[in-house]
């Protein structure tokens, strides 16, 4: 028979400390990483819908700017026609993300001087990229990713036009 344990405070072993620490860490990690339900994260506010519709208009303006630049500098079209195609594809993706929106795309603020289409177009691309990147900050989920992706793609256009 083993001797009876003394009555009194128990000793705190390393094993007990590790078990309590692991349990506490698991509770903290669960609390820090919990996220709202999927429906809540993907819910679109009216402000977000309006901003996305505005970005469709920004992209429509950019697609029009490509055409104006090609009209002013026909040689440019042969060199960067693929960029115009990408801008149109981006517009299609934005339109699909903002169904039912009917934005009014303003014409670019000016037209390129003859033979100067590339520099003018680069400035138009920079404006659109900045607009999309800024708008992405107020969106969530797939809409934010789409705007960020379009903005990054346009930064690539800008670099190629430099």
């Amino acid at each position: 028979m083993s001797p009876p344990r003394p009555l009194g405070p128990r000793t705190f072993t390393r094993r007990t400390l590790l078990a309590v620490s692991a349990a506490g860490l698991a509770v903290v990690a669960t609390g820090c990483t919990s996220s709202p339900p999927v429906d809540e994260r993907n819910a679109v506010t009216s402000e977000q819908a309006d901003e996305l519709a505005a970005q469709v208009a920004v992209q429509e303006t950019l697609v029009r700017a490509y055409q104006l630049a090609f009209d002013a500098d026909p040689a440019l079209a042969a060199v960067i026609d693929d960029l115009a195609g990408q801008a149109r594809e981006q517009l299609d993706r934005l339109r699909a993300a903002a169904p039912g929106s009917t934005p009014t795309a303003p014409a670019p603020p000016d037209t390129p001087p003859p033979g100067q289409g590339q520099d003018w177009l680069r400035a138009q691309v920079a404006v659109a990229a900045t607009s999309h990147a800024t708008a992405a900050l107020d969106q969530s989920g797939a809409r934010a990713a789409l705007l960020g992706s379009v903005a990054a793609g346009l930064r690539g256009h800008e670099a190629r036009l430099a």
Side-chain angles (χ1 to χ4, degrees):
M1 187 169 228
S2 64
R5 290 190 168 184
L7 297 175
R10 288 187 168 189
T11 58
F12 202 66
T13 65
R14 262 188 259 162
R15 185 174 290 159
T16 305
L17 177 64
L18 287 172
V20 169
S21 297
L25 183 59
V27 168
V28 168
T30 301
C32 291
T33 60
S34 66
S35 58
V38 174
D39 292 340
E40 225 176 271
R41 285 181 294 180
N42 290 328
V44 181
T45 66
S46 61
E47 292 83 13
Q48 288 174 323
D50 292 345
E51 182 61 34
L52 193 57
Q55 294 312 301
V56 170
V58 167
Q59 193 69 20
E60 286 177 344
T61 300
L62 180 62
V63 168
R64 178 76 177 119
Y66 267 98
Q67 188 56 51
L68 291 172
F70 293 166
D71 291 346
D73 189 355
L76 185 61
V79 178
I80 61 163
D81 188 51
D82 60 319
L83 296 182
Q86 289 174 12
R88 285 188 297 275
E89 289 172 14
Q90 292 166 338
L91 175 58
D92 292 342
R93 290 185 5 223
L94 286 168
R95 283 180 177 154
S101 66
T102 54
T104 306
D110 55 358
T111 57
Q116 305 272 327
Q118 186 168 340
D119 292 335
W120 177 85
L121 182 58
R122 187 169 56 109
Q124 302 302 309
V125 169
V127 168
T130 299
S131 180
H132 293 322
T134 302
L137 298 175
D138 294 328
Q139 298 289 331
S140 61
R143 294 173 310 279
L146 174 60
L147 286 171
S149 173
V150 171
L154 292 179
R155 291 297 178 199
H157 288 209
E158 185 181 5
R160 191 161 154 203
L161 289 165

